[in-house]
């Protein structure tokens, strides 16, 4: 092979290498940052207005996260380990449905006997963030993050919805109902409490 | 005397022309070979890069492992409340991100050297629960008329009791597009867009638009309580406390 040929081959290889380097640089230059995400202005529309009759008796703000790790096996080079984190902040509350509250009155004594329903756990998402080492990889690997979010929601529920918190919420619900009915001029007795008193043998002092 | 090539018997001028033509043809042939080799090298290099990438991926097997659960962080302790929710409003807003509308090319700034576009549309469902803090309701705010035919309830300031958004995405409803050398629309960005949209919805005040519904529903809730207490023929009247106080002053 002549000198000219060798020179031309070297030049072609150089052009190819430079091309690849430029392509990689262009890809790096064009990288997008999540922090600078401009959003278009759109109209918010009211889809539904529903009547409710619920009493929120307590709430707390809880944050949790879950992680996932994936090992990518490559034939030609070392395996890659990718990880991602899904965080979520929820406002957890207990509520009672006022439609399910039962009242029994005794007008002569102005005492109302109230049976409260079970307190219900409710959570509303305040923020949700996904973090990963390689966003392109995870965009391909996971079609969506719903499963991770569901997992975090369960963790938050497990953390908040405990028997002791439920008992606390029941007490708060009794306080709230007593306050409202007290303003209507009634003295309130809770049936659950009455039953407990009977079980424990505590007798109410006669007035 | 004319110069004659003694071997072939051609005049020297003609022989020179022939030699020049032959050299030219040889050069063109060489050029063709060079172009061919060059093209072959380019094709081979690109092919090698592509096959290397493909090979490395085709044999890949992904195993997913989950780290043990770490305990949740309680951002605020349990707060006792007495909030009455009378109305739930579901608001939908589209989160739209279109890179072509915001990005400008500048030779000086390599960060702006981006080839391609990115677009994303995510519908966000926000739920807002409106109502009243019953602890703002004092004994003076519940009045029974002298003839016991009506109960007047003076409603305190309307407030947002609870709000939140559906963080789980409905896959069919989400649009993700990216062209050229641009990154795919990531989960990070979808989450960020949704959260930003939620904040925007909460910055808007919808309470004025549904205030009548909220008050009407409050009346229904109080009627339920009053009827439950056995006051069947008592009318329930709800009034805004502020307006009531203003009317008394006048």
């Amino acid at each position: 092979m002549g000198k000219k040929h060798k020179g031309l081959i070297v030049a072609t290889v150089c052009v190819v290498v430079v091309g690849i380097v430029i392509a990689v640089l262009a890809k790096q230059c064009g990288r997008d940052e999540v922090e600078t995400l401009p959003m278009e202005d759109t109209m918010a529309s009211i889809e539904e207005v529903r009547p409710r009759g619920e009493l929120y008796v307590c709430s707390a703000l809880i944050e949790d996260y879950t992680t996932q790790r994936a090992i990518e096996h490559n034939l030609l080079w070392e395996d890659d380990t990718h990880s991602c984190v899904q965080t979520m902040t929820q406002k957890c509350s207990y509520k009672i449905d006022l439609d399910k509250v039962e009242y029994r009155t005794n007008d002569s004594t102005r005492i109302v006997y109230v049976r409260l329903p079970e307190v219900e756990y409710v959570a509303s998402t305040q923020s949700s963030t996904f973090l990963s080492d390689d966003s392109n990889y995870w965009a391909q690997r996971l079609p969506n993050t719903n499963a991770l979010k569901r997992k975090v929601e369960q963790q938050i529920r497990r953390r908040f919805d405990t028997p002791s918190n439920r008992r606390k919420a029941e007490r708060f619900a009794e306080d709230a109902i007593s306050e409202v009915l007290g303003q209507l001029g009634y003295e309130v007795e809770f049936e659950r409490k009455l039953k407990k008193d009977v079980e424990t043998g505590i007798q109410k002092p006669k007035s | 005397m004319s110069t004659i090539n003694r071997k072939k018997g051609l005049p020297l001028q003609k022989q020179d022309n022939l030699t020049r033509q032959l050299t030219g043809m040889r050069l063109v042939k060489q050029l063709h070979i060079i172009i061919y080799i060059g093209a072959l090298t380019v094709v081979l290099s690109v092919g090698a890069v592509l096959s290397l990438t493909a090979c490395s991926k085709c044999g890949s097997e992904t195993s997913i492992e989950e780290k043990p659960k770490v305990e949740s962080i309680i951002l605020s302790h349990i707060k006792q409340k007495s909030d009455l929710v009378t109305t739930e409003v579901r608001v939908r807003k589209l989160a739209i991100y279109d890179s072509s509308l915001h990005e400008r090319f500048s030779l000086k700034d390599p960060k702006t050297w981006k080839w391609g576009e990115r677009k994303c549309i995510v519908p966000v469902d926000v739920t807002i629960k409106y109502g009243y803090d019953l602890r703002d309701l004092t004994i003076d705010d519940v009045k029974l008329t002298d003839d016991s035919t009506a109960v007047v309830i003076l409603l305190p300031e309307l407030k947002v009791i609870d709000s939140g958004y559906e963080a789980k995405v409905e896959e069919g409803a989400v649009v993700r597009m990216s062209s050229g050398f641009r990154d795919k629309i990531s989960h990070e960005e979808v989450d960020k867009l949704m959260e930003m949209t939620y904040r925007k919805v909460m910055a808007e005040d919808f309470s004025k638009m549904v205030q009548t519904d909220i008050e009407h529903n409050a009346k229904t809730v109080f009627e339920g309580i009053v009827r439950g207490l056995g006051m069947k023929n008592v009318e329930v009247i709800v009034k805004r406390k502020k307006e009531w106080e203003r009317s008394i002053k006048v």
Side-chain angles (χ1 to χ4, degrees):
Chain A
M1 211 182 272
K3 270 188 177 176
K4 274 184 182 175
H5 280 159
K6 274 186 184 172
L8 279 163
I9 289 166
V10 169
T12 319
V13 170
C14 285
V15 167
V16 170
V17 170
V18 168
I20 291 169
V21 169
I22 288 170
V24 170
L25 280 176
K27 183 90 180 135
Q28 287 304 314
C29 283
R31 280 209 97 74
D32 299 287
E33 288 158 26
V34 184
E35 285 71 30
T36 53
L37 207 62
M39 219 176 73
E40 302 314 309
D41 244 352
T42 52
M43 276 281 288
S45 59
I46 295 177
E47 297 280 299
E48 204 178 7
V49 180
R50 268 192 221 163
R52 287 267 180 248
E54 295 161 345
L55 191 66
Y56 276 59
V57 291
C58 62
S59 72
L61 211 58
I62 296 184
E63 190 178 57
D64 208 334
Y65 68 93
T66 187
T67 57
Q68 204 170 67
R69 201 153 61 93
I71 299 162
E72 191 185 9
H73 301 291
N74 296 309
L75 281 181
L76 298 169
W77 50 76
E78 219 178 303
D79 292 351
D80 289 326
T81 309
H82 300 282
S83 18
C84 68
V85 185
Q86 179 70 58
T87 67
M88 201 181 250
T89 308
Q90 285 195 315
K91 187 181 170 190
C92 306
S93 316
Y94 279 116
K95 64 166 189 182
I96 55 162
D97 187 345
L98 290 174
D99 288 342
K100 291 178 187 164
V101 178
E102 290 170 30
Y103 310 90
R104 267 193 317 113
T105 47
N106 185 341
D107 279 337
S108 57
T109 55
R110 299 290 284 177
I111 292 176
V112 59
Y113 299 95
V114 179
R115 183 181 285 166
L116 290 180
E118 283 285 298
V119 287
E120 290 172 50
Y121 167 85
V122 270
S124 53
T125 306
Q126 303 304 305
S127 75
S128 168
T129 318
F130 182 85
L131 299 163
S132 72
D133 59 342
D134 186 343
S135 56
N136 276 325
Y137 171 82
W138 286 104
Q140 275 181 326
R141 178 57 47 195
L142 293 174
N144 57 56
T145 51
N146 291 353
L148 291 173
K149 284 172 186 163
R150 227 169 274 132
K151 203 182 159 207
V152 184
E153 280 176 354
Q154 281 165 6
Q155 281 172 203
I156 290 175
R157 184 173 183 159
R158 240 175 303 172
R159 174 78 184 174
F160 182 80
D161 193 11
T162 57
S164 78
N165 278 353
R166 269 188 179 263
R167 275 197 298 275
K168 212 182 270 182
E170 278 163 8
R171 213 175 56 238
F172 293 159
E174 286 173 359
D175 288 352
I177 291 287
S178 302
E179 219 170 286
V180 174
L181 298 183
Q183 277 151 8
L184 286 166
Y186 284 89
E187 195 188 317
V188 187
E189 286 287 352
F190 291 96
E191 293 212 333
R192 189 180 55 86
K193 204 175 169 185
L194 286 176
K195 270 183 195 170
K196 268 189 188 169
D197 288 347
V198 171
E199 279 164 19
T200 51
I202 301 167
Q203 290 220 328
K204 269 197 88 187
K206 280 176 191 170
S207 54
Chain B
M1 206 174 101
S2 66
T3 358
I4 294 166
N5 190 323
R6 292 195 194 273
K7 279 181 186 171
K8 291 183 179 171
L10 285 167
L12 261 179
Q13 210 178 345
K14 255 191 173 178
Q15 201 190 2
D16 278 353
N17 283 343
L18 207 68
T19 321
R20 234 173 280 139
Q21 271 181 358
L22 275 171
T23 324
M25 277 171 72
R26 222 174 285 141
L27 274 173
V28 169
K29 209 176 173 182
Q30 275 179 354
L31 202 69
H32 280 167
I33 293 167
I34 292 160
I35 290 167
Y36 173 73
I37 293 171
L40 198 71
T41 322
V42 170
V43 169
L44 283 175
S45 325
V46 171
V49 169
L50 286 175
S51 56
L52 270 176
T53 321
C55 269
S56 66
K57 297 282 175 197
C58 69
S60 73
E61 194 188 306
T62 311
S63 57
I64 294 169
E65 289 170 19
E66 279 167 21
K67 279 189 176 177
K69 185 194 158 285
V70 183
E71 212 158 76
S72 333
I73 306 144
I74 298 174
L75 298 172
S76 75
H77 288 286
I78 295 179
K79 284 180 193 159
Q80 184 170 2
K81 290 192 165 193
S82 182
D83 291 335
L84 174 70
V85 174
T86 69
T87 310
E88 182 186 293
V89 180
R90 200 163 61 82
V91 179
R92 177 168 267 222
K93 191 178 172 85
L94 286 181
I96 302 180
Y97 162 58
D98 186 349
S99 68
S100 65
L101 297 174
H102 301 276
E103 289 167 0
R104 299 281 172 268
F105 175 76
S106 163
L107 259 178
K108 289 177 188 169
D109 187 5
K111 278 186 179 175
T112 62
W113 302 353
K114 291 174 181 179
W115 181 30
E117 286 176 8
R118 308 172 80 229
K119 290 169 208 270
C120 180
I121 304 171
V122 195
V124 184
D125 285 317
V126 178
T127 306
I128 311 167
K129 290 183 176 183
Y130 291 104
Y132 304 92
D133 186 345
L134 292 181
R135 281 174 296 186
D136 292 341
L137 199 75
T138 59
I139 199 141
D140 298 329
D141 298 332
V142 183
K143 299 168 195 297
L144 191 71
T145 51
D146 293 338
D147 52 358
S148 301
T149 54
V151 178
V152 181
I153 296 162
L154 302 179
L155 295 173
E157 269 304 285
L158 177 71
K159 69 177 224 177
V160 174
I161 308 291
D162 192 23
S163 68
Y165 68 101
E166 182 50 71
K168 292 186 278 297
V169 289
E170 207 184 303
E171 208 37 54
V174 180
V175 179
R176 302 171 200 236
M177 290 189 278
S178 58
S179 61
F181 277 145
R182 303 299 296 269
D183 286 338
K184 279 179 188 297
I185 298 289
S186 62
H187 298 310
E188 281 96 328
E189 284 159 318
V190 172
D191 272 8
K192 180 98 186 167
L193 278 173
M194 290 178 88
E195 202 185 315
M196 281 161 70
T197 310
Y198 169 58
R199 303 270 169 251
K200 278 199 172 185
V201 168
M202 290 315 291
E204 287 179 48
D205 189 7
F206 290 96
S207 64
K208 284 192 180 104
M209 290 163 83
V210 289
Q211 191 160 13
T212 351
D213 291 274
I214 299 166
E215 284 164 3
H216 174 77
N217 295 335
K219 188 184 170 192
T220 313
V221 171
F222 284 118
E223 270 173 353
I225 297 172
V226 168
R227 301 278 174 272
L229 292 171
M231 296 187 262
K232 305 280 181 208
N233 301 316
V234 176
E235 194 194 346
V236 175
I237 301 162
V238 291
K239 293 266 180 208
R240 289 177 205 162
K241 194 177 177 179
K242 272 191 176 175
E243 279 178 20
W244 175 273
E245 282 170 350
R246 221 176 293 144
S247 66
I248 285 173
K249 275 176 195 170
V250 171

